[in-house]
Every structure is written in C-alpha cells, then in structure tokens.
Amino acid sequence: MFSKDMLKKMSIIRQEQPFFAVPDFRNLGVALRIFASTIVLIMILPLVSAAHHELPYWVRLVNLAVWMAPAVLLTVVLLWFLNRVLHRLPLAPLWVVALVVTVFCGTEYFFNRDQASLRQHFWVVGIYTLVLMHYQSLLQKAYSPALVQAQLSALTARIRPHFLFNSLNAAIGLVRRRPDDAEMVLENLADLFRAQLQEADRESTLGREIELARGYIDIERIRMGESRLHVQWHLNAPDNARVPHLLLQPLLENAVYHGVEPSYRLGMITVGIVRKGSWIYIRIDNPLPPQTAEKHASGNKMALKNLSERLFLMYDRDATLSARTVDDFYRVDIRLPYYPYGLRAHKATVKKS
C-alpha cells in the first residue's frame, strides 16, 4: 500500500528518542517548567542538606534562595541567548549540564563559600539538569505518534476520495468549455497532492500554507459552483512566519465538508490571520448547516486533535488551539509564536474568493 520511501520515512519518525533531549529554551513552557521545578528544589534542599542543620528550616530556605534565585535567572537568560548554539553542538546535553552547573556553582561560591554544600549542590544541580532533559525526551517520545498519524492521514484520508473524483470530473467537464479553469484545477490538485505526500513533521511558511489553502478553495469553488462557496480572507501577518506543515488546508477542508456541503445555501467561510506583537492569531469561521440538512459523519475532532498534538510538538505550551460554536458558526482559534525570517508582512487586506 505504501512505497518503500514512505515506509522508510515513517520508520524514521518511529525511531527511539535519545535518553536526554535539549529543549527549546526560548519556549515559554520550558521556562515555566524550569522556574516551577527550581522552586520545588529550593524547598527540598534544606531538608536533605547536611550543612547548617542546626538552623531552622525557614532560615536555611532563605539562605538557599538568596543565591539560587539569581542563579536561575542568569541561567535562563544565558540559555535563551545560547539556545541555537547549544542545539548545534555535538553532545549538546553535556554542554547544557556544564553551563548550568558552572553558573550555579559560581553564583553559590560568590554568595556562600561553604565547600561542603558547594560539592553537594554540584551533584544535585547536575542531576536536576539531566532529569529536566530526560523529561523533555519523554515528552517528544509521547507526542511522536502524532507525526505518524499525520503521515498516514496525508496518505489515506486527508484528501477525501469524493473530493478527488469530483475534482477530476469537474476538470474533465471544463476541458473544452473553460480550458483555463480545467488547467487551474489540475495544477492546484497536483500541488495539494505534492504537499500531502511530504513529511508530516516538515516545517513550512505561512505564505506557503495560505497559497495551498487558496488553491484548495479554488478547486472547491469550481467543483461546487460559484454560488455555493465564498471565502473572505483577512490577512495581516508575515508570509515567512514559521508554521507547521499542512496548517490551514485541513481546517478549510473540514469547514467545507462539514459546514458548507450539507447545506444548499451560500456558505461563507472567514479566515483571519494577524500578527500582534510576538504572536500570530488564526481564526477560521464556517457556517453550521441547518438542522434539517443531512450532516456528514463527524471527523472534525480527529483532525483538530492531530493538529493540536503537532502544535504541541513544535511549540510546546506556546501554541494554543480551541474550537467552539458561536451563534450560527463553528470557530477554530489558533495562537502561534511568531518566528520571523526577514520577509515583509502582508498588507492588511480583505479579500473574497
């Protein structure tokens, strides 16, 4: 059923994760985990430390926090600036451990030159850093099946059979009467298939995802008729923002399949993409079919779950996805961190297709 190359790609996705994985230290979720776990560490260390055991717990806790708090802040700042460099180094986890231990021990030596506690904290901080990177490895391993599922979905179910056959029939019917439209349908269909068969974990740009989504909508408008489907685009975001592969097209396919096709009325889908500061916000609204309309089998939840897992794998807690019903519309909201690559942004536009 699958080619040897495709099976090889899926086997690569399934391969074992390393025991220690260096997280993205510019990620908000990673920073929050570091701060939260460090607070727990500060509360536990006075209980297990042999130094100054005659002092009350709260006194030892304050003495520990005096040097650990600036050490944590300095460490997080250094890791943020050195994030890309660390990921490129061979044996990156060892470099991370060396950096963290050096900062912590150097800070403690400046505030407190107790050699006994310094040796103890050297090992505690080193083990803590390794545990943090092992936890990151477990996270990647837990969410790696999402990549396999995305790959299989692209191969078997992402472009639904009825859409494929109806699009080909529409192109055949247009060959003599409207050859330009027929050529457009076939070119966009080939472009969609080419994108679907690429690796599921491949990163893309926002401009490329918008291009694929427009191509898909152009096919659907030819297939369903000009009077059945309109899409309004509100674009004010950088074309070259880094986003997951196949971000928009599956959501628009769900919007058409579940919101427009079951109804015989005009279906208006609204796509809003805007950058606000360090974030990109995406909103897709599609109409709900009338209660009397024959609805398709539910498939929205699986597509949204798969996309949510891929967003978490790429952005950790920085990305959010939510879906809900608002009045007579079904709304999907996505928030992504903005990683620029130097291309200029879209001019603010409102377009209909």
Side-chain angles (χ1 to χ4, degrees), residues 104-125:
F104 268 76
C105 291
T107 307
E108 183 177 14
Y109 184 78
F110 179 80
F111 284 95
N112 174 24
R113 301 194 177 187
D114 187 339
Q115 296 298 322
S117 62
L118 188 62
R119 286 193 297 269
Q120 184 186 47
H121 294 157
F122 172 87
W123 292 107
V124 171
V125 171

mmCIF file of all heavy atoms in Angstrom, residues 104-125:
data_model
loop_
_atom_site.group_PDB
_atom_site.id
_atom_site.type_symbol
_atom_site.label_atom_id
_atom_site.label_comp_id
_atom_site.label_asym_id
_atom_site.label_seq_id
_atom_site.Cartn_x
_atom_site.Cartn_y
_atom_site.Cartn_z
ATOM 1 N N PHE A 104 25.501 27.876 38.454
ATOM 2 C CA PHE A 104 25.004 27.684 39.815
ATOM 3 C C PHE A 104 26.151 27.667 40.831
ATOM 4 O O PHE A 104 26.087 28.332 41.868
ATOM 5 C CB PHE A 104 24.198 26.379 39.896
ATOM 6 C CG PHE A 104 22.737 26.569 39.642
ATOM 7 C CD1 PHE A 104 22.260 26.762 38.355
ATOM 8 C CD2 PHE A 104 21.832 26.553 40.683
ATOM 9 C CE1 PHE A 104 20.915 26.934 38.108
ATOM 10 C CE2 PHE A 104 20.474 26.732 40.446
ATOM 11 C CZ PHE A 104 20.006 26.916 39.154
ATOM 12 N N CYS A 105 27.191 26.888 40.536
ATOM 13 C CA CYS A 105 28.301 26.792 41.486
ATOM 14 C C CYS A 105 29.063 28.117 41.595
ATOM 15 O O CYS A 105 29.515 28.499 42.680
ATOM 16 C CB CYS A 105 29.236 25.659 41.072
ATOM 17 S SG CYS A 105 28.500 24.022 41.264
ATOM 18 N N GLY A 106 29.206 28.816 40.472
ATOM 19 C CA GLY A 106 29.867 30.115 40.512
ATOM 20 C C GLY A 106 29.083 31.118 41.341
ATOM 21 O O GLY A 106 29.659 31.895 42.122
ATOM 22 N N THR A 107 27.744 31.098 41.194
ATOM 23 C CA THR A 107 26.906 32.008 41.972
ATOM 24 C C THR A 107 26.964 31.669 43.462
ATOM 25 O O THR A 107 27.063 32.560 44.324
ATOM 26 C CB THR A 107 25.441 31.949 41.482
ATOM 27 O OG1 THR A 107 25.411 32.176 40.072
ATOM 28 C CG2 THR A 107 24.594 32.999 42.180
ATOM 29 N N GLU A 108 26.894 30.360 43.776
ATOM 30 C CA GLU A 108 26.949 29.970 45.186
ATOM 31 C C GLU A 108 28.317 30.315 45.796
ATOM 32 O O GLU A 108 28.395 30.735 46.955
ATOM 33 C CB GLU A 108 26.681 28.473 45.333
ATOM 34 C CG GLU A 108 26.656 28.039 46.789
ATOM 35 C CD GLU A 108 26.323 26.573 46.973
ATOM 36 O OE1 GLU A 108 26.366 25.827 45.974
ATOM 37 O OE2 GLU A 108 26.040 26.167 48.115
ATOM 38 N N TYR A 109 29.379 30.127 45.032
ATOM 39 C CA TYR A 109 30.713 30.440 45.544
ATOM 40 C C TYR A 109 30.839 31.931 45.849
ATOM 41 O O TYR A 109 31.505 32.329 46.798
ATOM 42 C CB TYR A 109 31.775 30.020 44.528
ATOM 43 C CG TYR A 109 33.191 30.212 45.024
ATOM 44 C CD1 TYR A 109 33.766 29.308 45.920
ATOM 45 C CD2 TYR A 109 33.950 31.301 44.604
ATOM 46 C CE1 TYR A 109 35.057 29.485 46.385
ATOM 47 C CE2 TYR A 109 35.246 31.489 45.063
ATOM 48 C CZ TYR A 109 35.795 30.579 45.951
ATOM 49 O OH TYR A 109 37.068 30.760 46.419
ATOM 50 N N PHE A 110 30.155 32.758 45.039
ATOM 51 C CA PHE A 110 30.191 34.205 45.260
ATOM 52 C C PHE A 110 29.441 34.583 46.540
ATOM 53 O O PHE A 110 29.875 35.442 47.304
ATOM 54 C CB PHE A 110 29.582 34.931 44.053
ATOM 55 C CG PHE A 110 29.542 36.419 44.198
ATOM 56 C CD1 PHE A 110 30.675 37.189 43.961
ATOM 57 C CD2 PHE A 110 28.366 37.072 44.578
ATOM 58 C CE1 PHE A 110 30.632 38.571 44.097
ATOM 59 C CE2 PHE A 110 28.326 38.444 44.715
ATOM 60 C CZ PHE A 110 29.461 39.197 44.465
ATOM 61 N N PHE A 111 28.281 33.927 46.780
ATOM 62 C CA PHE A 111 27.464 34.265 47.942
ATOM 63 C C PHE A 111 27.854 33.469 49.190
ATOM 64 O O PHE A 111 27.715 33.955 50.308
ATOM 65 C CB PHE A 111 25.975 34.007 47.632
ATOM 66 C CG PHE A 111 25.353 35.055 46.765
ATOM 67 C CD1 PHE A 111 25.272 34.876 45.395
ATOM 68 C CD2 PHE A 111 24.842 36.221 47.305
ATOM 69 C CE1 PHE A 111 24.691 35.835 44.579
ATOM 70 C CE2 PHE A 111 24.265 37.189 46.507
ATOM 71 C CZ PHE A 111 24.192 37.006 45.140
ATOM 72 N N ASN A 112 28.275 32.204 48.974
ATOM 73 C CA ASN A 112 28.498 31.324 50.115
ATOM 74 C C ASN A 112 29.632 30.367 49.778
ATOM 75 O O ASN A 112 29.486 29.514 48.900
ATOM 76 C CB ASN A 112 27.213 30.546 50.435
ATOM 77 C CG ASN A 112 27.420 29.517 51.523
ATOM 78 O OD1 ASN A 112 28.337 29.632 52.340
ATOM 79 N ND2 ASN A 112 26.559 28.515 51.542
ATOM 80 N N ARG A 113 30.744 30.466 50.473
ATOM 81 C CA ARG A 113 31.930 29.682 50.138
ATOM 82 C C ARG A 113 32.063 28.417 50.994
ATOM 83 O O ARG A 113 33.160 27.960 51.266
ATOM 84 C CB ARG A 113 33.176 30.542 50.279
ATOM 85 C CG ARG A 113 33.141 31.763 49.385
ATOM 86 C CD ARG A 113 34.475 32.440 49.265
ATOM 87 N NE ARG A 113 34.420 33.573 48.352
ATOM 88 C CZ ARG A 113 35.475 34.263 47.962
ATOM 89 N NH1 ARG A 113 36.682 33.951 48.407
ATOM 90 N NH2 ARG A 113 35.348 35.283 47.129
ATOM 91 N N ASP A 114 30.936 27.881 51.388
ATOM 92 C CA ASP A 114 30.943 26.639 52.154
ATOM 93 C C ASP A 114 31.252 25.480 51.209
ATOM 94 O O ASP A 114 30.437 25.124 50.355
ATOM 95 C CB ASP A 114 29.577 26.437 52.818
ATOM 96 C CG ASP A 114 29.578 25.245 53.774
ATOM 97 O OD1 ASP A 114 30.454 24.373 53.630
ATOM 98 O OD2 ASP A 114 28.694 25.196 54.646
ATOM 99 N N GLN A 115 32.435 24.880 51.339
ATOM 100 C CA GLN A 115 32.883 23.848 50.403
ATOM 101 C C GLN A 115 32.008 22.601 50.467
ATOM 102 O O GLN A 115 31.757 21.950 49.451
ATOM 103 C CB GLN A 115 34.347 23.473 50.702
ATOM 104 C CG GLN A 115 35.327 24.593 50.488
ATOM 105 C CD GLN A 115 35.350 25.055 49.036
ATOM 106 O OE1 GLN A 115 35.246 24.239 48.113
ATOM 107 N NE2 GLN A 115 35.468 26.358 48.829
ATOM 108 N N ALA A 116 31.520 22.255 51.662
ATOM 109 C CA ALA A 116 30.696 21.048 51.787
ATOM 110 C C ALA A 116 29.393 21.181 51.007
ATOM 111 O O ALA A 116 29.013 20.297 50.220
ATOM 112 C CB ALA A 116 30.406 20.764 53.262
ATOM 113 N N SER A 117 28.696 22.299 51.213
ATOM 114 C CA SER A 117 27.436 22.500 50.486
ATOM 115 C C SER A 117 27.686 22.698 48.995
ATOM 116 O O SER A 117 26.868 22.315 48.157
ATOM 117 C CB SER A 117 26.688 23.701 51.058
ATOM 118 O OG SER A 117 27.445 24.889 50.894
ATOM 119 N N LEU A 118 28.821 23.296 48.651
ATOM 120 C CA LEU A 118 29.137 23.522 47.234
ATOM 121 C C LEU A 118 29.278 22.195 46.501
ATOM 122 O O LEU A 118 28.766 22.028 45.391
ATOM 123 C CB LEU A 118 30.418 24.339 47.114
ATOM 124 C CG LEU A 118 30.788 24.831 45.709
ATOM 125 C CD1 LEU A 118 29.714 25.761 45.164
ATOM 126 C CD2 LEU A 118 32.141 25.533 45.730
ATOM 127 N N ARG A 119 29.971 21.228 47.113
ATOM 128 C CA ARG A 119 30.117 19.914 46.471
ATOM 129 C C ARG A 119 28.768 19.201 46.359
ATOM 130 O O ARG A 119 28.475 18.569 45.352
ATOM 131 C CB ARG A 119 31.103 19.062 47.278
ATOM 132 C CG ARG A 119 32.564 19.472 47.114
ATOM 133 C CD ARG A 119 33.486 18.406 47.679
ATOM 134 N NE ARG A 119 33.283 18.249 49.132
ATOM 135 C CZ ARG A 119 33.966 18.926 50.043
ATOM 136 N NH1 ARG A 119 34.874 19.833 49.660
ATOM 137 N NH2 ARG A 119 33.736 18.723 51.325
ATOM 138 N N GLN A 120 27.978 19.298 47.396
ATOM 139 C CA GLN A 120 26.661 18.646 47.369
ATOM 140 C C GLN A 120 25.775 19.247 46.287
ATOM 141 O O GLN A 120 25.130 18.532 45.519
ATOM 142 C CB GLN A 120 25.984 18.774 48.737
ATOM 143 C CG GLN A 120 24.643 18.049 48.824
ATOM 144 C CD GLN A 120 23.950 18.313 50.140
ATOM 145 O OE1 GLN A 120 23.866 19.454 50.583
ATOM 146 N NE2 GLN A 120 23.459 17.254 50.776
ATOM 147 N N HIS A 121 25.740 20.570 46.215
ATOM 148 C CA HIS A 121 24.885 21.242 45.235
ATOM 149 C C HIS A 121 25.388 21.016 43.809
ATOM 150 O O HIS A 121 24.602 21.056 42.857
ATOM 151 C CB HIS A 121 24.798 22.737 45.550
ATOM 152 C CG HIS A 121 24.104 23.020 46.838
ATOM 153 N ND1 HIS A 121 24.291 24.191 47.554
ATOM 154 C CD2 HIS A 121 23.238 22.280 47.573
ATOM 155 C CE1 HIS A 121 23.560 24.159 48.645
ATOM 156 N NE2 HIS A 121 22.916 23.014 48.687
ATOM 157 N N PHE A 122 26.694 20.803 43.651
ATOM 158 C CA PHE A 122 27.248 20.491 42.327
ATOM 159 C C PHE A 122 26.562 19.252 41.750
ATOM 160 O O PHE A 122 26.111 19.246 40.597
ATOM 161 C CB PHE A 122 28.760 20.275 42.444
ATOM 162 C CG PHE A 122 29.410 19.772 41.186
ATOM 163 C CD1 PHE A 122 29.852 20.655 40.224
ATOM 164 C CD2 PHE A 122 29.571 18.408 40.957
ATOM 165 C CE1 PHE A 122 30.457 20.197 39.056
ATOM 166 C CE2 PHE A 122 30.169 17.936 39.802
ATOM 167 C CZ PHE A 122 30.617 18.843 38.849
ATOM 168 N N TRP A 123 26.469 18.208 42.566
ATOM 169 C CA TRP A 123 25.846 16.971 42.089
ATOM 170 C C TRP A 123 24.332 17.118 41.970
ATOM 171 O O TRP A 123 23.719 16.603 41.012
ATOM 172 C CB TRP A 123 26.186 15.818 43.028
ATOM 173 C CG TRP A 123 27.632 15.443 42.986
ATOM 174 C CD1 TRP A 123 28.590 15.687 43.930
ATOM 175 C CD2 TRP A 123 28.295 14.773 41.901
ATOM 176 N NE1 TRP A 123 29.813 15.220 43.522
ATOM 177 C CE2 TRP A 123 29.662 14.647 42.270
ATOM 178 C CE3 TRP A 123 27.883 14.275 40.675
ATOM 179 C CZ2 TRP A 123 30.605 14.039 41.457
ATOM 180 C CZ3 TRP A 123 28.818 13.668 39.853
ATOM 181 C CH2 TRP A 123 30.157 13.561 40.242
ATOM 182 N N VAL A 124 23.706 17.821 42.892
ATOM 183 C CA VAL A 124 22.250 17.985 42.849
ATOM 184 C C VAL A 124 21.818 18.749 41.596
ATOM 185 O O VAL A 124 20.883 18.352 40.890
ATOM 186 C CB VAL A 124 21.749 18.701 44.114
ATOM 187 C CG1 VAL A 124 20.271 19.076 43.974
ATOM 188 C CG2 VAL A 124 21.943 17.818 45.338
ATOM 189 N N VAL A 125 22.520 19.852 41.305
ATOM 190 C CA VAL A 125 22.160 20.659 40.134
ATOM 191 C C VAL A 125 22.431 19.885 38.842
ATOM 192 O O VAL A 125 21.643 19.951 37.879
ATOM 193 C CB VAL A 125 22.937 22.000 40.148
ATOM 194 C CG1 VAL A 125 22.739 22.750 38.839
ATOM 195 C CG2 VAL A 125 22.473 22.855 41.314
#
